[in-house]
Amino acid sequence: MIKRTSHRAPPLLLWGAALCAAIAAIPLVYLVIRIGGAGAADIWAILTRLRTWETVATSVGLATVVVIACLLISYPTALLLTRTKLPLRRLWFTTVALPLAVPSYVAAYAWVALIPGMNGFWAAALILTMVSFPYVLLPLLISLRSADIGLEQVARSLGNKPVAAFFATTFRQSVPAAAAGSLLVALYVLSDFGAVALLRVDAFTRVIYTSYRASFDRTNAAVLAGMLVLLAVILISLERKARGRSLRFRADKGVASSRLPKALTPVLSALSSLWFVAIATISLAIPVISLLIRLGEGTRRPLDWAELLGAVANTAWVSALGAVIAVLLALPIAALASRFRSRSASTIESVSYSGLALPGVVIGLSLVFLSINTVPFLYQSFVLLAFAYAVLFLPKSLGASRTALENVPPALGQVAQTLGYKPLRAWLYTSGRISWPGIAAGGLLVMLTAMKELPATLMLRPTGFDTLATELWSRTELAAFGAAAPYALALIVLAAIPSFALSRGFLTNSKETMVNA
Amino acid sequence: MSLPRPGSTILTAVASIALLLPVLAACSSDTSSSDTGSSTESAGRAELVVYSGRSEELVGPLFEEFTAATGVTVNARFGDSAELAAQMLEEGDRSPAQIYFSQDAGALGAVEELLATLPESVTSLVPEQYRATNDTWTGVTGRARVIAYDPQSVLADQVPQSVFELTDEKWRGQVAIAPTNASFQAFVTAMRVTQGDDVTQEWLTGLVNNDVQTYEKNGLILDAVDSGQVQLGLINHYYWYEKAAEVGEDNMRAQVAFMAPKDPGSLVNVAGVGILKGAAENSAAIEFVQWLLSPGTQEWFVNNTYEYPLVEGVASAEGLPKLGSLAGPDIALAQLADLPGTLNMLQDVGLL
Amino acid sequence: MKAISIQDLSSGYGGDPVIRDISFDLEEKELLAILGPSGSGKTTLLKTIAGFLPAQSGLIKLDSQVVSSPQKIVPPEKRNIGLVPQEGSLFPHLDVSANISFGIRRNPKKTQRVAELLEIIDMKEYAHARPQELSGGQQQRVALARALAPTPKLILLDEPFTAMDTSLRAQMRRDIRNILTLTATTAIMVTHDQEEALATADQLAIMQDGRLIAFGTPHELYEKPASKDVASSLGEVNAIPATVESEHSVNTELGTFVARIMGDAVLGQHGIVLVRPEALTIEETDSPNAKITGSVFHGHDSTVTVSTNSGMVLKVRESQQHDRVLGTLCAVKVLREGIFLK
């Protein structure tokens, strides 16, 4: 009955979402305060340094290459998984999200350990691609699976060859999904420090970190971080453009015509399997093997199992709590963005994304500054750390929740209201309930990423509280790489659990479709 | 279409437990985060909050010894020296830290405004050149700049004795430095102080033109030399000893050499400690610093980290040149305060 | 007692009203069809009645209680008005029984009621089927049952048959009509299909550009349309220029014939006379007044388009099979009374 809307958003929802976005934008507040402390001359000096722009160019170049590489990997992979009778399909489906379990700095470290000379722009591009391509692949899988093949058939009847038909229809329909994933990847690359430092790439984050570590100039660093935020805003608006136009392609009526998976010739079967094996090897097998080798090297102190397990438990709990908070914060924003298209709705949404572009050190410092001045009793507490994760990774939950909610017809909530449910309950019992799988998937993604987080964790954790990432870090600081290996492996194993759940959920969800008469 | 539905059992379990955990964590956590500097007396035992830029693996056992010896619990927070410094600056006077134990003097210099003047009972233990001019901090152990080399390509007598040789053509692309590292920056500042800005800038430019390889950390430089990626690397001496202790001396390919005394390349830097203003009167804090400078602890460092003791009467580790003989360039560490100038220069030549 | 009474209602999405000055009453158990093209405001009216939009001016009364006015709006969940949206919109995560009982979950007699309704919609075997397994028609029936479960005072149906095959539609219409009668439910149905409106409704409202241009029984509106717009909403109609000849007849290009003169027209008044295609006939003749220009076969009848000597295009409905050859000259005669309007 009622389509996407000419309504105005109910004020409660608007203000609720705005509040959540404001919370997510806390690091921005900090940046503004710090930048405000900078003199105009200082800012000008930074902005006119050639070197600054060289590193910006490097980072942007790296992000571009990685995004393109991720797309090039994800499209064929997604097609093979959704459209063909690939051998061992189920196996590949379940492993498809596992590379997310490998932190970029662990991957870099593992590769460098194996191939000592490995460094530079292209090495970084390779490694960053291999740990982040699932961000593009997963939404793409969903999009391709639900794409209406009827459109392709129409295109073919109009004389297009199959490939052209595909490009004209299904490919266009997949653009928003690919764009959303690409945005996450791009922001991830821009804000990454661990991998580029290890691989000796002159990236922009390096300049920011140097600012903090060498000159202790938080003002300068804030200005530089501000530049990152601007970059992020540009990327976000690009993604929105890509997303916005394609909304019209989404079929409102009718279940997508089912498709029969295509059988592959033996040669193609072999080649496809080889493709998957290659991806799994480069993104998973090689880092793990490298770590196992290091594990075999001597260490000065034997592994303290209690310490390791303690770190495992800590990592699991705090990242889980962070995920829960992130989902709760993101939900009002997602509910708003999925139904209402006013300027305020999109501003609110954009604001919440900006935190993803910032390096962890900035987020950490911003929360130090703000929490110690406003809620000192929460400073360096478990809850604050979880909250930091939520602020850092809220956009991941936001994207997933919004997509899930967008797919629920508003009419359902209205029907529930006419059946006696108050508006909030009506929403919970319909949209909320139906999009729960998508919302939960977003939560898993946050949890997964939080497990790997390092700089903000170092700053905000309760004293004496260690996660796998911090333990790993303190050992590598000492060049005790043999001692670090068990923690790196434990981290990958732990993070593999939510990754695995994400992939599995995809398989079991294959029967569920929206009901449209 | 909605996103994949994850295994709902895993999720529900995780989510419900995650919601309960903060309660448990809050109960069991023993941080004194609500305090700002003064020590907490709990059942007669004092607590000390230490922000340590030296890693837990290394100094954790040391802190435990302190607790065993004095009964004071050490609540140590481990992190990167510089990031901790930035954090303390953000925390301002509400910082819970009472002691700041830093990996290098530069970070200490950056937070000088937060530090209290050390009492004489402490400053009398350490020679002047290893302390802040205003006595807000003191060095605890010394680390010498050395040159790591790959014996498979460089014979022991071919190793350069002076940093100025590194711009030579024969070392093109074979020299590794870590320009973002505080020790390197301190070394460059020292060079500027003793040799002047022009010479220093010329040398740095010479390095860049000679295709010098940059790494993020000393440990990575050592790894690179150890695996034959580069032939020479400028690092701190104890990295070699630490790695050797981890993997076994026989497994170390890279070796280290000390440069000629008085050469800028043989600078001795310090890891140091300071007491935050809020804890200036805190007896436990003062005791802690004194204990770090006690002969027993200094020997501990000698034996465990292979660093140089700064307190008189304690012998340095076997096999290391005497601290006195190193001498390093004739400067006091406090003179290395002009970090911004160094950073600008490094930026100008394109190393930062 | 009037089930629903609407007085001078205007409503919109904030800003200018989309619908204006709507007034009508509906008795209990009656089915009102609101007919109009897209953009006429029918959905807006429905939303306002349901309580999703506020009344900018005017009143809505349910059972003599004011539920919408500029000062007050009773929220949808309190109005006890059922809703069957265009696409059924069954809850995909619930089975048929759970869908039906959604609004009566706290009712102790809910199992009984669900069984009752399943019986009424003739889908007992589908009690535990999932919505995805049902056909379009079945989904609509379940959606109706769901709306009826809490015994609402009024049910709103938004173009309920649009998504269906034509062959199904007639059957569905009958079914739904029967269910509504059986349950004695007052209903308002929005549609753009005039056949549907005429066939199912007890009362008919015609909307155009946000206003109500006619309200009455289907017969009344069809036989005595107040304007050409009303008339053409209900089916094809020919509007022929005419002059009043006498109290009961008019003169036109097709000759003089009987017409009901609406309003206070005087002799000699110029205007138009509305004549339905089925009121015209084509004859062979020596004095033709028109030429056949087209013919469309509908199965049960045909529509023949003719062009008169003056160039006016008329539509004629013929129930018998004639091979109408294009270009044939013929005479068009008026068989029944037309309606003359100024």
Side-chain angles (χ1 to χ4, degrees):
Chain A
M1 175 169 170
I2 291 128
K3 305 277 183 215
R4 187 73 69 92
T5 181
S6 22
H7 285 235
R8 273 189 297 239
L12 197 61
L13 180 61
L14 198 62
W15 287 108
L19 178 64
C20 291
I23 292 175
I26 282 177
L28 292 182
V29 171
Y30 166 78
L31 277 186
V32 167
I33 295 177
R34 282 273 160 259
I35 293 178
D42 288 330
I43 300 183
W44 185 247
I46 298 174
L47 291 178
T48 49
R49 267 188 69 217
L50 183 61
R51 191 136 159 74
T52 309
W53 293 103
E54 281 174 1
T55 54
V56 167
T58 307
S59 284
V60 169
L62 189 59
T64 312
V65 169
V66 172
V67 164
I68 293 176
C70 286
L71 288 169
L72 288 175
I73 292 181
S74 302
Y75 266 102
T77 309
L79 281 172
L80 284 170
L81 282 173
T82 55
R83 298 288 188 95
T84 67
K85 288 197 184 152
L86 182 72
L88 299 176
R89 220 164 66 131
R90 282 187 74 94
L91 172 66
W92 297 125
F93 251 119
T94 52
T95 53
V96 95
L98 282 180
L100 289 177
V102 183
S104 66
Y105 50 89
V106 170
Y109 156 64
W111 277 89
V112 169
L114 215 52
I115 307 174
M118 187 165 188
N119 60 52
F121 183 90
W122 296 104
L126 170 70
I127 290 173
L128 285 171
T129 303
M130 293 326 284
V131 299
S132 55
F133 76 85
Y135 284 129
V136 177
L137 179 60
L138 283 175
L140 207 52
L141 279 173
I142 298 162
S143 161
L144 284 179
R145 206 178 47 180
S146 60
D148 193 351
I149 203 178
L151 290 180
E152 254 179 81
Q153 289 165 341
V154 168
R156 288 182 67 174
S157 70
L158 290 170
N160 286 302
K161 287 226 192 59
V163 172
F166 167 76
F167 271 101
T169 57
T170 306
F171 180 77
R172 297 284 291 279
Q173 283 180 289
S174 70
V175 167
S182 303
L183 178 64
L184 284 183
V185 170
L187 292 177
Y188 179 56
V189 172
L190 283 179
S191 65
D192 172 72
F193 176 66
V196 294
L198 266 174
L199 294 166
R200 304 167 56 204
V201 178
D202 226 1
F204 188 57
T205 42
R206 193 161 169 265
V207 182
I208 298 182
Y209 268 79
T210 310
S211 238
Y212 280 116
R213 287 188 177 166
S215 53
F216 301 100
D217 192 336
R218 289 159 293 142
T219 309
N220 262 11
V223 173
L224 293 166
M227 287 172 68
L228 259 185
V229 172
L230 282 178
L231 259 178
V233 167
I234 294 174
L235 287 174
I236 293 167
S237 49
L238 281 176
E239 188 260 350
R240 173 152 305 124
K241 277 219 172 62
R243 199 206 319 157
R245 217 180 294 152
S246 307
L247 266 175
R248 287 178 230 135
F249 282 112
R250 197 162 28 117
D252 274 333
K253 270 206 240 227
V255 179
S257 332
S258 60
R259 69 185 60 75
L260 295 170
K262 226 162 106 146
L264 291 172
T265 67
V267 172
L268 277 179
S269 265
L271 281 177
S272 312
S273 299
L274 207 61
W275 169 258
F276 279 89
V277 167
I279 293 181
T281 307
I282 300 180
S283 58
L284 282 173
I286 292 188
V288 169
I289 290 174
S290 168
L291 287 172
L292 287 172
I293 294 177
R294 275 288 189 166
L295 192 59
E297 278 176 24
T299 77
R300 190 182 349 189
R301 271 183 276 270
L303 178 61
D304 183 347
W305 281 99
E307 203 175 13
L308 177 63
L309 291 173
V312 168
N314 286 348
T315 312
W317 299 138
V318 76
S319 57
L321 181 60
V324 168
I325 300 177
V327 167
L328 290 174
L329 276 182
L331 211 49
I333 307 176
L336 182 70
S338 62
R339 289 271 174 265
F340 303 98
R341 279 221 254 156
S342 60
R343 184 90 42 81
S344 17
S346 36
T347 311
I348 289 176
E349 210 196 337
S350 302
V351 164
S352 8
Y353 264 88
S354 42
L356 204 57
L358 292 171
V361 70
V362 178
I363 310 277
L365 284 174
S366 64
L367 283 171
V368 165
F369 176 74
L370 283 157
S371 64
I372 211 172
N373 287 310
T374 54
V375 283
F377 52 92
L378 276 184
Y379 184 58
Q380 288 179 1
S381 67
F382 182 92
V383 172
L384 184 67
L385 181 56
F387 180 75
Y389 291 153
V391 168
L392 265 169
F393 306 123
L394 181 135
K396 299 197 177 176
S397 167
L398 181 54
S401 299
R402 191 200 64 228
T403 310
L405 286 171
E406 271 174 349
N407 282 305
V408 180
L412 291 184
Q414 283 161 349
V415 168
Q417 271 192 279
T418 60
L419 291 170
Y421 288 70
K422 290 220 183 60
L424 180 61
R425 278 190 85 214
W427 186 90
L428 279 174
Y429 274 82
T430 58
S431 294
R433 174 68 187 76
I434 295 169
S435 3
W436 167 244
I439 297 175
L444 276 180
L445 209 53
V446 171
M447 179 170 172
L448 173 52
T449 322
M451 285 178 179
K452 308 184 289 185
E453 207 286 327
L454 183 59
T457 311
L458 281 173
M459 265 186 240
L460 296 168
R461 62 192 166 135
T463 310
F465 180 90
D466 278 303
T467 64
L468 287 169
T470 63
E471 292 281 23
L472 174 57
W473 167 87
S474 87
R475 283 160 180 76
T476 55
E477 281 294 287
L478 276 182
F481 294 116
Y487 286 86
L489 285 165
L491 182 51
I492 295 180
V493 167
L494 184 62
I497 297 177
S499 313
F500 190 67
L502 267 175
S503 307
R504 257 202 92 227
F506 188 79
L507 265 183
T508 56
N509 204 32
S510 42
K511 293 290 184 316
E512 208 164 271
T513 51
M514 292 312 300
V515 179
N516 285 307
Chain B
M1 283 303 277
S2 40
L3 280 172
R5 171 199 280 136
S8 38
T9 27
I10 300 180
L11 254 193
T12 343
V14 165
S16 43
I17 296 174
L19 286 170
L20 292 174
L21 250 295
V23 181
L24 299 174
C27 295
S28 60
S29 149
D30 58 349
T31 61
S32 52
S33 48
S34 47
D35 291 293
T36 52
S38 53
S39 76
T40 347
E41 305 284 340
S42 44
R45 291 179 47 152
E47 268 186 6
L48 204 54
V49 178
V50 175
Y51 276 20
S52 170
R54 309 211 62 184
S55 81
E56 188 173 5
E57 281 273 291
L58 200 60
V59 297
L62 190 62
F63 293 163
E64 277 165 36
E65 275 191 33
F66 178 74
T67 307
T70 61
V72 177
T73 318
V74 175
N75 267 334
R77 183 175 193 79
F78 300 98
D80 175 82
S81 294
E83 278 172 25
L84 281 173
Q87 184 169 359
M88 287 193 300
L89 287 170
E90 286 298 356
E91 290 170 344
D93 48 25
R94 303 175 88 142
S95 173
Q98 295 167 293
I99 299 265
Y100 176 46
F101 191 10
S102 168
Q103 187 89 286
D104 60 75
L108 283 164
V111 300
E112 252 178 43
E113 71 203 48
L114 298 176
L115 299 175
T117 318
L118 293 169
E120 198 171 326
S121 52
V122 165
T123 56
S124 55
L125 297 171
V126 176
E128 210 184 313
Q129 76 233 66
Y130 299 125
R131 280 184 275 132
T133 1
N134 51 13
D135 280 339
T136 47
W137 55 265
T138 172
V140 173
T141 53
R143 49 272 300 281
R145 296 290 294 168
V146 294
I147 190 162
Y149 66 94
D150 176 13
Q152 285 184 16
S153 317
V154 183
L155 296 176
D157 52 11
Q158 289 174 320
V159 177
Q161 286 282 290
S162 161
V163 287
F164 289 107
E165 290 180 51
L166 295 174
T167 49
D168 204 276
E169 183 62 35
K170 72 172 174 212
W171 301 118
R172 172 167 282 274
Q174 293 298 329
V175 179
I177 58 171
T180 53
N181 180 261
S183 309
F184 179 81
Q185 290 160 0
F187 148 68
V188 171
T189 314
M191 195 189 247
R192 285 173 57 223
V193 168
T194 54
Q195 310 281 333
D197 278 355
D198 292 333
V199 172
T200 311
Q201 181 139 6
E202 208 184 296
W203 180 73
L204 286 171
T205 318
L207 275 185
V208 173
N209 292 338
N210 213 23
D211 194 20
V212 70
Q213 300 295 301
T214 59
Y215 290 79
E216 198 62 27
K217 297 198 271 211
N218 288 311
L220 294 172
I221 294 181
L222 183 58
D223 274 352
V225 176
D226 208 26
S227 56
Q229 292 303 304
V230 289
Q231 293 172 3
L232 301 174
L234 295 179
I235 60 174
N236 289 340
H237 83 280
Y238 66 92
Y239 278 97
W240 189 92
Y241 292 94
E242 269 177 10
K243 186 167 183 188
E246 276 292 320
V247 307
E249 207 175 298
D250 301 326
N251 292 326
M252 290 293 291
R253 169 168 155 183
Q255 300 297 310
V256 292
F258 287 80
M259 279 171 274
K262 310 286 180 191
D263 184 84
S266 56
L267 173 70
V268 172
N269 204 334
V270 298
V273 70
I275 300 180
L276 272 79
K277 283 196 172 130
E281 307 296 307
N282 190 318
S283 55
I286 298 174
E287 208 181 329
F288 183 79
V289 177
Q290 283 171 329
W291 180 81
L292 282 178
L293 297 170
S294 66
T297 315
Q298 291 279 300
E299 265 172 34
W300 185 94
F301 277 111
V302 165
N303 294 327
N304 284 288
T305 69
Y306 305 93
E307 288 166 295
Y308 283 103
L310 294 181
V311 161
E312 234 171 291
V314 184
S316 30
E318 264 181 42
L320 288 179
K322 296 268 180 291
L323 187 59
S325 75
L326 276 189
D330 270 326
I331 48 168
L333 278 180
Q335 284 176 274
L336 301 182
D338 184 25
L339 195 51
T342 301
L343 292 175
N344 280 335
M345 187 182 285
L346 286 172
Q347 281 171 351
D348 285 340
V349 302
L351 280 175
L352 263 193
Chain C
M1 174 169 60
K2 308 254 182 264
I4 174 169
S5 173
I6 301 191
Q7 298 165 17
D8 303 315
L9 180 69
S10 297
S11 162
Y13 299 92
D16 288 332
V18 172
I19 57 174
R20 277 174 233 267
D21 307 322
I22 311 281
S23 299
F24 63 82
D25 296 329
L26 194 60
E27 301 286 344
E28 281 184 13
K29 304 192 214 169
E30 283 193 323
L31 171 67
L32 166 67
I34 302 183
L35 180 64
S38 338
S40 53
K42 359 186 252 295
T43 307
T44 310
L45 177 55
L46 217 59
K47 285 192 217 176
T48 315
I49 297 176
F52 292 111
L53 284 177
Q56 287 178 1
S57 63
L59 278 188
I60 301 182
K61 285 206 246 183
L62 287 178
D63 276 354
S64 317
Q65 304 272 30
V66 175
V67 293
S68 281
S69 75
Q71 293 81 31
K72 159 178 171 179
I73 174 164
V74 174
E77 56 271 16
K78 298 228 171 75
R79 290 195 186 200
N80 204 9
I81 294 185
L83 179 60
V84 180
Q86 195 155 18
E87 287 148 7
S89 294
L90 295 181
F91 302 125
H93 58 294
L94 301 173
D95 67 12
V96 167
S97 302
N99 260 283
I100 296 180
S101 63
F102 195 80
I104 50 171
R105 283 213 252 208
R106 298 234 195 91
N107 190 322
K109 300 235 186 78
K110 77 168 180 224
T111 336
Q112 233 176 308
R113 184 89 179 117
V114 171
E116 224 175 87
L117 286 161
L118 282 171
E119 184 74 51
I120 293 179
I121 61 172
D122 194 23
M123 284 182 65
K124 261 203 321 221
E125 328 69 79
Y126 292 91
H128 296 293
R130 290 247 149 201
Q132 297 92 319
E133 300 160 23
L134 303 176
S135 73
Q138 290 170 324
Q139 285 179 19
Q140 283 298 57
R141 278 189 272 163
V142 173
L144 183 57
R146 175 179 64 181
L148 288 171
T151 340
K153 292 187 238 177
L154 176 64
I155 278 213
L156 304 174
L157 300 112
D158 188 1
E159 312 220 22
F161 312 117
T162 313
M164 270 174 237
D165 304 334
T166 330
S167 50
L168 270 182
R169 245 184 252 180
Q171 182 61 42
M172 275 301 293
R173 264 188 252 145
R174 278 195 287 276
D175 289 342
I176 302 258
R177 188 67 240 242
N178 287 339
I179 295 171
L180 289 170
T181 315
L182 204 58
T183 53
T185 316
T186 317
I188 299 183
M189 180 177 85
V190 156
T191 178
H192 61 264
D193 184 332
Q194 65 211 36
E195 196 181 307
E196 203 163 275
L198 291 170
T200 31
D202 296 320
Q203 297 281 354
L204 187 50
I206 301 185
M207 283 191 72
Q208 196 176 75
D209 293 327
R211 286 182 201 271
L212 204 61
I213 58 175
F215 189 91
T217 67
H219 275 287
E220 272 169 23
L221 297 190
Y222 193 82
E223 306 295 337
K224 303 187 207 136
S227 71
K228 175 169 183 291
D229 285 332
V230 173
S232 44
S233 306
L234 293 172
E236 295 255 37
V237 70
N238 297 301
I240 307 174
T243 324
V244 177
E245 179 102 339
S246 75
E247 216 182 311
H248 295 287
S249 67
V250 292
N251 191 20
T252 71
E253 193 189 330
L254 301 179
T256 308
F257 52 86
V258 180
R260 183 195 305 235
I261 318 284
M262 307 293 281
D264 51 353
V266 294
L267 277 182
Q269 175 114 41
H270 293 294
I272 51 162
V273 63
L274 299 175
V275 182
R276 293 279 178 197
E278 57 267 22
L280 292 174
T281 185
I282 294 178
E283 286 176 357
E284 288 189 13
T285 175
D286 302 320
S287 45
N289 56 13
K291 183 169 72 171
I292 295 181
T293 55
S295 169
V296 179
F297 181 52
H298 302 299
H300 41 76
D301 54 22
S302 320
T303 306
V304 181
T305 320
V306 301
S307 182
T308 64
N309 292 337
S310 69
M312 180 171 57
V313 175
L314 296 176
K315 298 233 172 144
V316 181
R317 193 156 278 217
E318 296 195 312
S319 53
Q320 279 156 294
Q321 264 281 61
H322 297 275
D323 274 325
R324 292 299 180 196
V325 180
L326 293 183
T328 321
L329 298 174
C330 62
V332 178
K333 293 253 170 63
V334 179
L335 291 177
R336 278 181 257 165
E337 186 180 76
I339 310 246
F340 176 85
L341 299 168
K342 277 198 281 209

